[in-house]
Amino acid sequence: MSVPAHAVVPVAPSGPFAVPADLEAECDELISHYPVKRSAALMLLHAVQERFGFIQKEAMEWIAKKLELQPINIFELVTFYPMFRQNPVGKTHFKVCRTLSCALGGSYKLHAHLCERLKLDRHAHGAQTTPDGKFTVEFVECLASCGTAPVMMVNEDFYEGVTNAKADELIAKK
Ligand code: FES
């Protein structure tokens, strides 16, 4: 499939990865709450993602070493849980639910509208980010508010019964 010129192709970033001392201290503190080191894996992933915005390969390796695990043990968590990201996203991240209730309630039209407004490819697989890094639009699975479809999240905020007009308002606010 050809990639439109306006789309940003996600590339799994890798390279030098340095953990700031305060983040390492935070991770050590988190680990101390658990009787078994590996039980802190999800908490460390959240801490790293919160700091860097995503979890690169070297970060997974660092966490694995810290917890005396193999990198695959961390990689499988990152790929299983959809809230973890392996690539950077835009400053404003629209997550549109595409599971059945929302699909029936218009989430595909909402996603298409967002993509059209932001000049992104609605047919492309995965998260789409504008070239200026301001916006990312992504389909996600059920956000657990199926009765108020279509539902989406904007960063950590939750919106229900989202119309195209509401989406326009949210874009304009950013
Ligand atoms: S189907 Fe969209 S919130 Fe459940």
Side-chain angles (χ1 to χ4, degrees), residues 96-103 107 140-152 158:
V96 181
C97 173
R98 68 171 168 197
T99 309
L100 187 59
S101 296
C102 285
S107 68
V140 295
E141 302 307 330
C142 186
L143 291 171
S145 183
C146 316
T148 57
V151 167
M152 78 171 175
F158 196 72

Side-chain angles (χ1 to χ4, degrees), residues 8 16 22 50 54 76 84 89 93 119 123 133 144 147 155 160:
V8 172
D22 66 323
E50 200 169 297
F54 65 104
E76 63 195 8
F84 293 129
V89 289
H93 189 183
K119 300 187 174 16
H123 299 295
N155 295 340
E160 298 166 302

Side-chain angles (χ1 to χ4, degrees), residues 7 39 77 120 154:
S39 303
L77 292 174
L120 295 169
V154 183

Side-chain angles (χ1 to χ4, degrees), residues 94 113 117 159 163-174:
F94 293 103
H113 179 73
R117 281 292 318 273
Y159 294 90
T163 59
N164 286 356
K166 181 68 184 174
D168 290 343
E169 192 187 304
L170 291 166
I171 291 172
K173 268 193 198 165
K174 300 295 174 183

